[in-house]
Amino acid sequence: MTFYLLLRRAHPILALIAGALSLALSISLIIKHVEVVREVKEVAVPLVATLPAMEKHLTVLKEQVELSELNRATEVGSIGERLNVYVLPRETDLQRLISTIELLELTLKKQNQLSQASDIVIGEPRPYGSEPTVSSRPLTVSFAANEEGMQQILLFTQLAGLLTVGDALADDEIALLYASLEEENPVGIVSLEQFLSLDLLRYARDSHAAEDQLQRSLPSPAFGSALKSVTKSSLLLSAQRVLLGDFGRQIEEKRLWPVQFLLPQWFSVEAGGAPGWYKVSLQLSVLERVGE
């Protein structure tokens, strides 16, 4: 009887201990969940913040469409010809575009920045907003990547559709360069325009040579300061980050440059299967030219 009474009295104590352990475990799981959510936000928020820069593509797009109408009979290899054939084609070369994205994925896998990717799905053309001269195809892809891998992919989409150094600069950045010339060396505008028309891939592959040549032509301290400010805070830095290494070399060798115009429409980020890794789904608009 005594043992039975002790056992009955022990039940509330055991229940209390079990409850405490359960509560501790629940708190631990909640804390872990909060940490994962915080980790995802720390990656996703900076990436979302870069998307407004895509509006630069819209401005460039209208300029590119106008150029495409003015350069129908240009010589092979010129900016106008590459624009019409590769950047804003009347019909997307699906294999070329898929090969470019798969090459980026393969490069990131070799760098341990991406572990797996889904098939690339490209839909049929459809109207692109209210722009009568442009249509778009939806492109969707999912992948598992770390933060660096996600940033590389997003930077790649920002560079897609750009042809020259000038395309990668905002209007105020170009204005800063011209203003620094007008103060000391207005004759140097020709050298600056040659720099701005330089192929973006060529610049990214050897930016020091391009900048050194420009500064030898325009040695003023004011211009040197303006050039340094622009090249270190614009898409030119992103171009070097994406195109300087193995990906840039292969995209040049395989003649996959320039890349067709791409605009991010949405992306989602979830915590991945390992710390620091994420599951990302991305949809892009592949832009095409409408009409002759």
Side-chain angles (χ1 to χ4, degrees), residues 54 57 87 152-164 167-168 200 204 234-244 247 257-262:
M54 294 290 94
H57 278 59
V87 176
Q152 287 285 92
I153 291 173
L154 187 61
L155 290 177
F156 166 76
T157 65
Q158 289 181 295
L159 298 174
L162 304 185
L163 281 172
T164 67
D167 290 339
L200 183 59
S234 66
L235 278 177
L236 293 181
L237 190 62
S238 300
Q240 295 175 56
R241 183 174 171 183
V242 175
L243 301 173
L244 180 59
F247 176 66
W257 178 267
V259 181
Q260 190 164 341
F261 234 119
L262 303 174

Side-chain angles (χ1 to χ4, degrees), residues 41-55 154-155 158 267:
K41 285 184 176 180
E42 288 174 352
V43 174
V45 171
L47 291 178
V48 172
T50 66
L51 289 180
M54 294 290 94
E55 294 178 0
L154 187 61
L155 290 177
Q158 289 181 295
F267 72 91

Side-chain angles (χ1 to χ4, degrees), residues 164-197:
T164 67
V165 168
D167 290 339
L169 299 179
D171 291 341
D172 59 337
E173 293 167 338
I174 294 176
L176 176 63
L177 294 176
Y178 276 109
S180 66
L181 279 182
E182 292 172 356
E183 294 177 0
E184 299 185 25
N185 187 8
V187 180
I189 289 178
V190 174
S191 297
L192 176 57
E193 289 180 343
Q194 290 175 344
F195 174 75
L196 294 176
S197 63

Side-chain angles (χ1 to χ4, degrees), residues 114-132:
L114 185 146
S115 62
Q116 58 185 357
S118 69
D119 291 337
I120 299 167
V121 179
I122 302 179
E124 294 299 317
R126 59 192 183 189
Y128 182 72
S130 59
E131 178 58 61

Side-chain angles (χ1 to χ4, degrees), residues 105 108-109 112-118 141-147 149-150 153 270-274 276-281:
E105 293 173 349
L108 295 178
K109 284 181 180 179
N112 295 319
Q113 296 173 358
L114 185 146
S115 62
Q116 58 185 357
S118 69
V141 63
S142 300
F143 50 88
N146 60 17
E147 181 177 355
M150 283 193 294
I153 291 173
E270 300 177 2
W277 285 77
Y278 307 90
K279 297 177 182 178
V280 182
S281 296

Side-chain angles (χ1 to χ4, degrees), residues 216-232:
R216 284 195 298 270
S217 301
L218 305 169
S220 74
F223 180 77
S225 177
L227 180 64
K228 183 177 181 180
S229 173
V230 166
T231 56
K232 300 305 179 185

